[in-house]
């Protein structure tokens, strides 16, 4: 079954929302799935599509200060542990670099052990920022500089 990572379309986000529990389990994160982000930042919002549907997705964009910000990343329950999240991040880095990104950033709740472990495995630095999402709402903020691209030198 061929898997392709391609830019997301609004219809993809609608599909993800229909199958929300397969990506997020009991956590209701539907309000974070803003179709406007896909409309405005389509080249950095990605889906991993297979013959059996969307196996994973990443919603992200590049900020004016050249930060590739990952708003959401998720893999479907039957794709976990396959390296798909890492592949989505890799594709995002490529797309974000084209737009001038020199660093990455993501956030999660302080209780999301899976996300913390995943971002740690990708080499992110993590710090807890108190009141990040409002009073009494700390978040773990992940950051990672992007190394300069290597330019291949022909002979």
């Amino acid at each position: 079954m061929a898997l392709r990572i391609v830019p997301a379309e609004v219809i993809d986000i609608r599909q993800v929302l229909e199958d929300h529990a397969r990506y997020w389990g009991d956590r209701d994160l539907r309000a974070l799935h803003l179709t406007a982000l896909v409309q405005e930042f389509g080249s950095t919002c990605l889906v991993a599509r297979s013959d059996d549907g969307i196996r994973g997705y990443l919603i992200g964009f590049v900020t004016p200060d050249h930060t590739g910000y990952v708003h959401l990343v998720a893999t479907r329950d039957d794709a976990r542990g396959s390296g798909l999240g890492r592949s989505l991040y890799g594709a995002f880095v490529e797309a974000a670099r084209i737009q001038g990104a020199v660093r990455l950033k993501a956030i999660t709740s302080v209780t999301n052990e899976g996300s913390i472990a995943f971002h740690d495995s990708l080499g992110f630095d993590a710090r807890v920022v108190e009141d990040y999402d409002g009073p009494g709402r700390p978040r773990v903020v992940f950051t990672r500089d992007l190394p300069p691209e290597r330019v291949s030198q022909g002979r």
Side-chain angles (χ1 to χ4, degrees), residues 8-28:
E9 298 177 17
V10 170
I11 194 166
D12 297 323
I13 300 307
R14 291 182 184 137
Q15 181 62 54
V16 163
L17 289 172
E18 285 180 25
D19 297 332
H20 183 269
R22 294 209 55 198
Y23 301 95
W24 297 101
D26 293 336
R27 295 183 303 161
D28 187 354

Side-chain angles (χ1 to χ4, degrees), residues 78-137:
D78 60 348
R80 297 212 179 102
S82 67
L84 180 54
R86 185 176 296 275
S87 295
L88 283 162
Y89 253 96
F92 175 75
V93 166
E94 288 180 32
R97 277 188 192 274
I98 290 169
Q99 294 185 21
V102 297
R103 72 190 67 80
L104 299 176
K105 182 177 182 178
I107 65 168
T108 196
S109 65
V110 294
T111 59
N112 191 337
E113 294 174 6
S115 178
I116 294 167
F118 173 67
H119 284 88
D120 182 59
S121 78
L122 293 176
F124 280 82
D125 294 319
R127 65 186 170 88
V128 174
V129 177
E130 299 299 328
D131 302 328
Y132 185 92
D133 203 22
R137 297 182 63 166

Side-chain angles (χ1 to χ4, degrees), residues 28-117:
D28 187 354
L29 300 180
R30 288 178 288 194
L32 297 178
H33 291 72
L34 307 172
T35 56
L37 291 176
V38 175
Q39 295 275 22
E40 298 301 324
F41 305 104
S43 65
T44 53
C45 295
L46 307 167
V47 294
R49 187 169 292 139
S50 184
D51 294 338
D52 66 348
I54 297 171
R55 292 187 154 247
Y57 64 96
L58 184 150
I59 298 174
F61 54 89
V62 177
T63 68
D65 74 344
H66 308 289
T67 299
Y69 177 77
V70 175
H71 178 63
L72 290 170
V73 60
T75 56
R76 204 170 64 189
D77 52 10
D78 60 348
R80 297 212 179 102
S82 67
L84 180 54
R86 185 176 296 275
S87 295
L88 283 162
Y89 253 96
F92 175 75
V93 166
E94 288 180 32
R97 277 188 192 274
I98 290 169
Q99 294 185 21
V102 297
R103 72 190 67 80
L104 299 176
K105 182 177 182 178
I107 65 168
T108 196
S109 65
V110 294
T111 59
N112 191 337
E113 294 174 6
S115 178
I116 294 167

Side-chain angles (χ1 to χ4, degrees), residues 129-145:
V129 177
E130 299 299 328
D131 302 328
Y132 185 92
D133 203 22
R137 297 182 63 166
R139 293 293 180 260
V140 178
V141 177
F142 303 106
T143 55
R144 187 181 96 190
D145 288 336

